Amino acid sequence: MSDQLGENTIDLAQVVQNSYHANAQLVLSALLSDYTEEEIAHCVSEAYGRKFDTSAVTPVTPLGHDWLLELFHGPTCAFKDVALQMLPQLMSVAREGDGRDVMIVTATSGDTGKAALEGFADVPGCGVTVFYPDGKVSDIQYLQMVCQEGSNVCVSGVRGTFDDAQTGVKRIFSDEALRGRLASRNTVLSSANSINVGRLVPQVTYYFDAYAQLVRRGVLTLGDPIDFCVPTGNFGDVLAGYFAKRLGLPVRKLIVASNSNKVLTDFITTGTYDRRRDFMKTISPSMDILVSSNLERLLYYLSDGDCAYISSLMGQLQDEGHYSVTPEILSQIQETFACGFATDAETKETIRATFEQDGVLIDTHTAVARTVLNRFPEDGTPRVCLSTASPYKFCSDVLDALGKDTTGMNDFACMDALEKASGTVAPKQLSSLRTAEKRHLGVCDISGMGAVVEDACTRIFARS
Ligand SMILES: *Cc1c(COP(=O)(O)O)cnc(C)c1O
């Protein structure tokens, strides 16, 4: 993909006439040259069909003077669905070439694992095993995982923390004996983490599609500039926006919004990336990240593919915890990227103000972005705030932001109270968990994780 970014452009006049599905076809075809048009069409229709609760897939709606790009209409009510509904389809087509079965193995702190389960469930030739830290995810996250349907899924708690579970998964990937036994049965292990390009490419689509929606609404004329503000953790989502710009979308600024873990704000301001600081636990947990793994990709493109330079920076980050880019690269970054951060208190205030003044209920991650966006003066260029999760995924903090007392309330009590307080309705994907059947109650020790994966492969890939 890397070589094609600079050469390919996407025909904006065409984009504006297209449905989301046709735009996904256009963008994926431009970036994934290994796939035929027919294969991509198949993947698009499988990925963005009945599992999204709107045919627009990622609708744009008004937000005061700005616009909200709603990325939470998929099966887990968060934006990772847009990529994780597509990635398994792409993998399934790719594996038809070599005929091997693929077992995805991942550890989750709560959200990504569920998105992976939904994406890989019942995809031919694939299985998925997800480990979560037992007792350390929210009520709703727990139910989302243990109630997962599908004949090729495996979910297990791990006695330990998220880091323990992640270490256990790394150990599985480096267990040569296990991999050998699986290989003899034509099975390979794979991860679905956010540095997989198959997760980035599908995200490029919604930047183009948002532009198309605003042209059709008469907010933009074809060719006009646009700004996007993106709540950022691993830098995947905002990097997809950069890809869209490189492919010809007239993006003026990409605003990188962080919470109190503001490593990226400091980096974009000064050119020095420094992870030597305390990790903060915030109300926007999917952005609680000190090492944004996709930033390396941006630096690669900005340095014209200078691998030696990039690996020296990454080496410094690993060994010393910090690095600084050249003034030339910093000025290139600042040409496209603006930045800012929001504290938890500011984020809550934005949730309250957005609801009271604009009548829109937003989640804690989206509210970080809106807080940052509000600090930039309006100058007539349309601005789109990316909305990465349904407010009902973070009921308790959203309710608290609206000034309601949440002491002693579980997730479902908060869900009821949030419906009452806001006059909105919780998405079915979440409210139906109350009565869903619990299917995966297993819990293992760190040392037992390999056996769980091996058993799952045996069960799922058994051939008659
Ligand atoms: C993952 C996530 C983010 C951050 O996205 P990155 O691609 O890691 O920058 C923001 N909001 C929500 C709700 C997320 O799940």
Side-chain angles (χ1 to χ4, degrees), residues 18-28 40-41 43-50 52 54-58 86 205 209:
N18 277 351
S19 66
Y20 187 92
H21 297 77
N23 278 329
Q25 175 87 29
L26 204 60
V27 169
L28 293 174
I40 288 179
C43 291
V44 168
S45 78
E46 289 292 313
Y48 303 129
R50 60 190 167 75
F52 280 76
T54 159
S55 60
V57 184
T58 62
M86 176 56 75
T205 302
D209 193 70

Side-chain angles (χ1 to χ4, degrees), residues 260-263 274-281 290:
S260 297
N261 295 293
K262 60 182 187 64
V263 203
D274 193 343
R275 69 167 163 78
R276 296 170 300 175
R277 61 182 77 203
D278 290 335
F279 175 85
M280 315 253 216
K281 221 169 137 27
L290 291 182

Side-chain angles (χ1 to χ4, degrees), residues 396 398-407 409 417-418 420-422:
S396 160
V398 171
L399 199 56
D400 179 48
L402 296 181
K404 309 290 176 194
D405 185 8
T406 60
T407 39
M409 287 163 66
L418 188 56
K420 266 210 196 80
S422 69

Side-chain angles (χ1 to χ4, degrees), residues 287-300:
M287 298 160 65
D288 288 346
I289 283 171
L290 291 182
V291 177
S292 298
S293 45
N294 284 299
L295 185 61
E296 183 177 346
R297 280 221 173 85
L298 174 70
L299 298 175
Y300 171 85

Side-chain angles (χ1 to χ4, degrees), residues 180-255:
R181 288 196 299 279
L182 294 176
S184 71
R185 290 157 31 189
N186 228 12
T187 299
V188 287
L189 300 180
S190 177
S191 69
N193 61 29
S194 73
I195 58 173
N196 186 317
V197 284
R199 275 187 62 178
L200 276 173
V201 171
Q203 295 175 238
V204 177
T205 302
Y206 51 71
Y207 286 91
F208 278 99
D209 193 70
Y211 192 91
Q213 291 183 56
L214 290 178
V215 171
R216 291 198 295 262
R217 276 179 180 260
V219 175
L220 287 167
T221 303
L222 196 67
D224 284 351
I226 186 169
D227 290 338
F228 290 96
C229 186
V230 188
T232 305
N234 253 327
F235 207 79
D237 201 359
V238 68
L239 183 64
Y242 175 74
F243 286 176
K245 183 179 166 102
R246 293 272 300 246
L247 289 166
L249 189 68
V251 176
R252 183 178 65 172
K253 284 282 185 209
L254 291 165
I255 302 170

